[in-house]
Amino acid sequence: ILIIILSITLGYVYSYYYKQPEYKSSVTILLVADENKADKELTQTDLNINTSLISTYSSIAKSTNVMQKTIDNLGLDISTSKLQKNIEVNQIDKTQFLKITVKDSNPERAKNIANELSRVFTEQIKEIYNLANISIVDEAEIENAPCNINHVKDIIIFTFAGLIVSIITI
């Protein structure tokens, strides 16, 4: 019983005092027809081009150049490699949507990084491909709840660990 109480206490201390909260903020981007085209209709060819470009666009969004411009524009004191680790770029369920998600210990900074990263990324695509086929659908918003903290789950895990140690000890 003492081991279980000790493990529950450790779980509580770990979850509430030791674990650093992280916040996620996301931007949704849609690949659309090229705005520079004379006719604004979206053709099957445009859809095929956009679909084939999604993985390339994901790599560009996480490129060192885009990261560095984002850091410079926001005046952040962080390395590009550390920022790259905190960013995920995913295609949403085989659609033409890209979701850029930023994790940070500060919810306001996560929102600012996500929004600035999407703007820099859009500029880079226009510069590299000479295409204006990206539209920002949803800007990032401040997330109030941390994404990595679940106090109940942490305490339950520590309780089971204490229970296993108790059984082994007995």
Side-chain angles (χ1 to χ4, degrees):
I1 293 172
L2 186 61
I3 291 173
I4 293 172
I5 291 172
L6 182 63
S7 66
I8 291 171
T9 306
L10 282 173
Y12 177 84
V13 169
Y14 169 77
S15 186
Y16 282 93
Y17 299 107
Y18 181 73
K19 204 171 189 182
Q20 287 286 354
E22 285 187 338
Y23 300 88
K24 278 186 179 180
S25 203
S26 299
V27 174
T28 306
I29 296 174
L30 173 65
L31 278 65
V32 294
D34 187 2
E35 294 173 4
N36 296 331
K37 283 177 39 176
D39 62 337
K40 299 287 184 188
E41 291 183 26
L42 185 65
T43 63
Q44 186 62 38
T45 306
D46 292 329
L47 292 174
N48 291 338
I49 289 171
N50 288 344
T51 303
S52 64
L53 285 174
I54 283 182
S55 61
T56 305
Y57 281 7
S58 298
S59 298
I60 292 171
K62 288 189 78 168
S63 71
T64 305
N65 189 23
V66 172
M67 295 296 143
Q68 191 59 52
K69 284 185 180 181
T70 303
I71 290 169
D72 293 343
N73 291 350
L74 294 174
L76 299 174
D77 186 27
I78 188 173
S79 68
T80 55
S81 59
K82 185 173 181 185
L83 184 58
Q84 284 172 329
K85 289 177 187 173
N86 293 333
I87 292 176
E88 290 180 18
V89 181
N90 298 315
Q91 179 182 9
I92 301 176
D93 299 325
K94 297 183 182 181
T95 62
Q96 295 195 19
F97 285 99
L98 276 179
K99 187 172 191 175
I100 299 174
T101 305
V102 178
K103 278 186 187 177
D104 197 88
S105 59
N106 181 324
E108 177 75 27
R109 188 170 50 214
K111 177 193 86 127
N112 292 341
I113 291 172
N115 286 330
E116 186 61 30
L117 181 66
S118 66
R119 282 190 274 286
V120 170
F121 168 66
T122 303
E123 291 169 8
Q124 284 292 105
I125 294 301
K126 288 177 184 174
E127 193 176 297
I128 294 170
Y129 285 104
N130 200 21
L131 289 173
N133 67 340
I134 292 182
S135 177
I136 297 172
V137 177
D138 292 324
E139 294 256 332
E141 295 181 7
I142 294 176
E143 191 67 38
N144 293 326
C147 64
N148 67 332
I149 294 182
N150 185 341
H151 299 301
V152 174
K153 183 179 113 183
D154 291 341
I155 292 172
I156 288 173
I157 290 171
F158 274 86
T159 302
F160 278 119
L163 187 63
I164 290 170
V165 171
S166 298
I167 290 170
I168 291 172
T169 304
I170 290 171

